[in-house]
Amino acid sequence: MDDLDRRLLELLTEDARASVTSLAKQLGVVRATVQERMQRLERDGPVCGYTVRLLPDFEQGRISAQVMIAADPKKQAALTRALQKMPAVRTLQTISGQYDLLALVREDSTGALDDCIDAIGALDGVERTLSSIVLSTKFER
């Protein structure tokens, strides 16, 4: 990956729907170069898909929590699959320290969030959880 690839990734991160023509102008290259680079980044490189980022105002009515999960190491793969099936679990990361996993959970109400956190705690392989409600997001990239 060279500097042009990195700059292209930065632009796509800002606006994944930007036209190839617009990207080419911003990068100072021809459209064919951008198309070829995008195809290569999708096929061989770091791009695995495109997504929609929602405005904070849209998400304002929803409630989020970060749930740290201590997991039985022998059951972590199955636990990961179970968490992936839960639509409210938006992100799952491995972490270092006292806990093994960090889940970002988003629901429409505190009751639904409470039910989801209880369901996570009841999953086979979960030893304990520690939850923190997200009050606000200052920025996200």
Coordinates of all heavy atoms in Angstrom, one line a residue, residues 86 88 105 107 109-122:
M86 N -26.9 -11.6 18.0 CA -27.7 -10.6 18.7 C -27.7 -9.3 18.0 O -26.6 -8.6 18.0 CB -27.2 -10.5 20.2 CG -27.3 -11.8 21.0 SD -26.6 -11.6 22.6 CE -27.9 -10.7 23.4
A88 N -28.6 -6.3 18.7 CA -28.3 -5.2 19.5 C -26.8 -5.0 19.8 O -26.3 -3.9 20.1 CB -29.0 -5.2 20.9
V105 N -23.4 -2.3 22.8 CA -24.8 -2.7 22.7 C -25.7 -1.4 22.5 O -25.5 -0.5 23.2 CB -25.2 -3.5 23.9 CG1 -26.7 -3.9 23.8 CG2 -24.3 -4.7 24.2
E107 N -29.8 -0.2 22.1 CA -31.2 -0.6 22.1 C -32.1 0.7 22.1 O -31.6 1.8 22.3 CB -31.5 -1.4 23.4 CG -31.2 -2.8 23.3 CD -32.1 -3.7 22.4 OE1 -33.0 -3.1 21.7 OE2 -31.9 -4.9 22.3
S109 N -34.6 1.4 24.3 CA -35.0 1.8 25.7 C -34.1 1.2 26.7 O -33.4 0.2 26.5 CB -36.4 1.4 25.9 OG -36.5 0.0 26.0
T110 N -34.2 1.8 27.9 CA -33.4 1.2 29.0 C -33.8 -0.2 29.4 O -33.0 -1.1 29.7 CB -33.4 2.1 30.3 OG1 -34.8 2.3 30.7 CG2 -32.7 3.4 30.1
G111 N -35.1 -0.5 29.3 CA -35.7 -1.8 29.5 C -35.1 -2.8 28.5 O -34.7 -3.9 28.9
A112 N -35.1 -2.5 27.3 CA -34.6 -3.4 26.2 C -33.1 -3.6 26.4 O -32.6 -4.7 26.3 CB -34.9 -2.8 24.9
L113 N -32.4 -2.5 26.8 CA -30.9 -2.6 27.0 C -30.7 -3.5 28.2 O -29.8 -4.4 28.2 CB -30.4 -1.2 27.3 CG -28.8 -1.2 27.5 CD1 -28.1 -1.6 26.2 CD2 -28.4 0.2 27.9
D114 N -31.5 -3.4 29.3 CA -31.3 -4.2 30.5 C -31.6 -5.7 30.1 O -30.8 -6.6 30.5 CB -32.3 -3.8 31.6 CG -32.1 -4.5 32.9 OD1 -30.9 -4.7 33.3 OD2 -33.1 -4.8 33.5
D115 N -32.6 -6.0 29.3 CA -32.9 -7.3 28.9 C -31.7 -7.9 28.1 O -31.3 -9.1 28.2 CB -34.2 -7.4 28.1 CG -35.4 -7.1 28.9 OD1 -35.3 -7.2 30.1 OD2 -36.5 -6.8 28.3
C116 N -31.1 -7.1 27.2 CA -30.0 -7.5 26.4 C -28.8 -7.8 27.2 O -28.2 -8.9 27.0 CB -29.7 -6.5 25.3 SG -28.4 -7.0 24.2
I117 N -28.5 -7.0 28.2 CA -27.3 -7.2 29.0 C -27.6 -8.5 29.9 O -26.6 -9.3 30.0 CB -27.0 -6.0 29.9 CG1 -26.6 -4.8 29.0 CG2 -26.0 -6.3 31.0 CD1 -26.5 -3.5 29.7
D118 N -28.8 -8.7 30.3 CA -29.1 -9.9 31.1 C -28.9 -11.1 30.1 O -28.4 -12.2 30.6 CB -30.5 -9.9 31.6 CG -30.7 -9.0 32.8 OD1 -29.7 -8.6 33.4 OD2 -31.9 -8.7 33.1
A119 N -29.3 -11.0 28.9 CA -29.2 -12.1 27.9 C -27.7 -12.4 27.7 O -27.3 -13.6 27.6 CB -29.9 -11.8 26.6
I120 N -26.9 -11.4 27.6 CA -25.4 -11.6 27.4 C -24.9 -12.3 28.6 O -24.1 -13.3 28.5 CB -24.7 -10.2 27.2 CG1 -25.1 -9.7 25.8 CG2 -23.2 -10.4 27.3 CD1 -24.6 -8.2 25.6
G121 N -25.2 -11.9 29.8 CA -24.7 -12.5 31.0 C -25.1 -14.0 31.2 O -24.5 -14.8 31.8
A122 N -26.3 -14.4 30.5 CA -26.7 -15.7 30.6 C -26.1 -16.7 29.5 O -26.3 -17.9 29.6 CB -28.3 -15.7 30.5

